[in-house]
Amino acid sequence: MQLSRDEMNRYLPQGLHTEGAFLYSIVEDTGNTQAGYIWFNVAQGRQGKEAFIYDFYIFEPYQQKGYGSMALTLLDEEARCMGVTRIGLHVFGDNDRAFKLYQKMGYGITDITMSKKL
């Protein structure tokens, strides 16, 4: 819990009013029900404005129905309007479903960190 609090304080120091932080609900059209959420921050990077997705989740009943792909497509459009030239994210190695989604949406591997349990 402390690590989580530290990360929130680091990346959302003013909560929802943090400059450069964007938190969106993903809403199912017909019932106007929240289907998930996405949180990304935009900052000046080495090669211009860059976004980083800190949290992205589609709730279980809405998974495998295209909401993830749609949300990432809309994020691309929003980021382009903001002048963002690159979007980054982290995905855990055992999260095969998310990994495949990100690859399908054009994300490429930039590095690989590995570990071994002893």
Side-chain angles (χ1 to χ4, degrees):
M1 284 304 289
Q2 186 58 45
L3 180 60
S4 179
R5 276 193 229 49
D6 292 346
E7 292 292 301
M8 294 299 280
N9 288 333
R10 180 176 176 193
Y11 298 112
L12 285 173
Q14 283 81 43
L16 295 175
H17 305 290
T18 299
E19 185 177 346
F22 301 89
L23 293 90
Y24 291 100
S25 288
I26 298 164
V27 178
E28 183 267 331
D29 282 340
T30 57
N32 202 28
T33 305
Q34 186 179 9
Y37 57 84
I38 190 165
W39 163 31
F40 65 98
N41 284 17
V42 175
Q44 192 62 35
R46 291 185 206 143
Q47 300 173 359
K49 270 184 155 178
E50 297 180 355
F52 191 87
I53 300 171
Y54 284 104
D55 202 2
F56 175 43
Y57 188 71
I58 303 299
F59 301 137
E60 184 100 21
Y62 300 98
Q63 291 178 6
Q64 301 294 317
K65 296 182 179 179
Y67 288 97
S69 298
M70 250 187 296
L72 291 173
T73 297
L74 292 171
L75 170 61
D76 288 352
E77 292 172 16
E78 182 74 9
R80 277 189 197 96
C81 289
M82 294 177 180
V84 169
T85 59
R86 182 176 182 268
I87 301 173
L89 57 84
H90 171 268
V91 63
F92 286 104
D94 64 350
N95 192 343
D96 195 50
R97 187 184 326 180
F99 184 80
K100 287 178 181 175
L101 170 64
Y102 297 138
Q103 281 190 313
K104 179 179 106 177
M105 299 304 296
Y107 289 80
I109 297 170
T110 56
D111 63 6
I112 296 175
T113 302
M114 299 175 77
S115 68
K116 175 172 124 176
K117 284 191 175 188
L118 300 177

